[in-house]
Amino acid sequence: MMESYIESGKIASKIRGEASKMIKDGTLVIDLVEYVESEILKSGAEIAFPCNVSINEIAAHYTSPANDKTKFKAGDMVKLDLGAMVDGYIADTAITVIADGNIDENYTQDEINLHEEIIEASAAGLEAAIATARAGIEVSKIGAAVHEAISEYKLNPIFNLTGHSLEQNNLHAGISIPNYDNHDNFILEEGQAIAIEPFATNGEGWVNDSPGHYIFSYLANKPFRMKNTQRVLKYIQNNHRYVPFSGRWITDEFGERRGNIALKQLAGAMAIYPYAPLREKKGYFVSQKEHTVVIEKEGCTVTTI
Ligand code: MN
Ligand code: MN
């Protein structure tokens, strides 16, 4: 188990580093997500969830649909969140970078400084969390450490986003790792794998659903009259039963119209769960940094370093 966590962690962190170099003015978001996903497969690992690329006030849960025309603009605050899986043991890791280019054409020096501080704050939150994580500690203590570190920058964590426990083939295995002291007294045990993911913002620290669904999870078998919908459900059951999948993978397989019709029906009948992109209020910026760690007696091992 530990070997597989270390292996998936190495793969994910290597790809995170290489892919982050693509984040610059004019690059298509879809080129980045397809690069990340194909590199995970090339490495011999499996994709633990669609590559998330979330820009500026979007905090999480955006991935490109087919033919996505979205391009990075110089100065965009880009969260790149990716997951690799070896024997079902998941590495979940994220980084925030400012899209390269003529940034001062789009932002003032004061704004650029603020954006750098927002990125630093989530990194400081993650460091404080990792320094706190060990067997026997309550998860709320990790949240308190994150909140305190981000508060020093006079910024807020995102209060309604959390890290999570990981289990074999299970990305969100039931335990939440908060980004503030939520008084959850669940105690971490040696050997437990968790993803810690502080988000920092100059907004209020609360995200809401935004329109569109690009990422889905399989929920349950349901009967459908339409052949097309039945076929898509079968395909999802065979290929994406355990971890989240991209709508783009479905439309690549079944065509854009048919794929999207089926996804809508499946979501409506709760055969699959649609994730909405999550966003702060317009005009605010959100950063995220995430590592997967395995809890030890006296600390933790970061697998995605
Ligand atoms: Mn993640
Ligand atoms: Mn995560």
Side-chain angles (χ1 to χ4, degrees), residues 26-301:
T27 299
L28 284 165
V29 174
I30 194 168
D31 287 345
L32 176 65
V33 301
E34 289 191 333
Y35 171 79
V36 166
E37 292 170 2
S38 69
E39 286 297 308
I40 292 171
L41 295 174
K42 257 193 239 167
S43 75
E46 291 174 273
I47 299 169
F49 53 85
C51 175
N52 286 220
V53 173
S54 306
I55 300 175
N56 297 341
E57 77 271 17
I58 307 290
H61 295 172
Y62 182 85
T63 193
S64 287
N67 303 311
D68 190 5
K69 300 286 187 288
T70 313
K71 283 179 182 170
F72 297 118
K73 290 192 291 292
D76 277 348
M77 189 177 291
V78 180
K79 277 76 64 190
L80 168 66
D81 191 341
L82 62 112
M85 192 159 76
V86 172
D87 297 328
Y89 296 104
I90 296 168
D92 179 0
T93 184
I95 194 175
T96 303
V97 298
I98 298 291
D100 212 358
N102 292 326
I103 296 169
D104 47 10
E105 283 180 5
N106 299 334
Y107 294 101
T108 66
Q109 195 53 50
D110 281 353
E111 287 169 331
I112 294 168
N113 289 344
L114 170 65
H115 297 175
E116 283 168 356
E117 286 189 5
I118 295 170
I119 292 174
E120 249 176 72
S122 58
L126 181 58
E127 254 178 60
I130 289 169
T132 308
R134 60 175 168 80
I137 203 148
E138 297 170 354
V139 292
S140 59
K141 294 280 192 298
I142 295 179
V146 169
H147 192 184
E148 197 192 330
I150 292 174
S151 294
E152 284 178 22
Y153 288 84
K154 305 274 183 267
L155 297 167
N156 284 317
I158 302 281
F159 295 99
N160 62 335
L161 286 177
T162 68
H164 45 95
S165 56
L166 299 159
E167 282 172 16
Q168 192 175 24
N169 294 311
N170 192 349
L171 180 61
H172 290 106
I175 303 157
S176 293
I177 313 299
N179 290 320
Y180 70 104
D181 181 1
N182 68 346
H183 304 294
D184 182 346
N185 58 10
F186 180 87
I187 291 174
L188 292 171
E189 284 172 29
E190 192 178 354
Q192 230 155 22
I194 58 172
I196 308 175
E197 48 184 311
F199 293 79
T201 181
N202 57 336
E204 283 175 19
W206 196 263
V207 289
N208 289 295
D209 287 359
S210 65
H213 295 115
Y214 308 99
I215 299 171
F216 303 85
S217 276
Y218 174 68
L219 288 177
N221 194 32
K222 293 277 160 79
F224 291 92
R225 277 183 296 115
M226 275 181 68
K227 269 254 148 38
N228 173 52
T229 310
Q230 284 173 15
R231 276 174 56 224
V232 174
L233 181 58
K234 188 114 212 121
Y235 179 83
I236 291 166
Q237 288 169 332
N238 288 336
N239 296 284
H240 307 297
R241 183 179 279 269
Y242 301 108
V243 285
F245 60 92
S246 171
R248 168 172 34 86
W249 303 343
I250 302 303
T251 55
D252 284 352
E253 187 72 24
F254 294 93
E256 247 184 282
R257 260 192 309 273
R258 285 178 145 175
N260 283 326
I261 289 168
L263 287 170
K264 208 168 182 180
Q265 288 191 343
L266 292 169
M270 301 217 299
I272 61 174
Y273 179 84
Y275 296 89
L278 299 168
R279 72 166 171 211
E280 250 292 350
K281 292 202 180 66
K282 189 116 189 107
Y284 293 103
F285 289 80
V286 178
S287 72
Q288 172 200 22
K289 191 162 184 191
E290 178 174 26
H291 277 310
T292 294
V293 312
V294 177
I295 299 299
E296 315 282 357
K297 253 201 196 79
E298 303 296 341
C300 66
T301 301

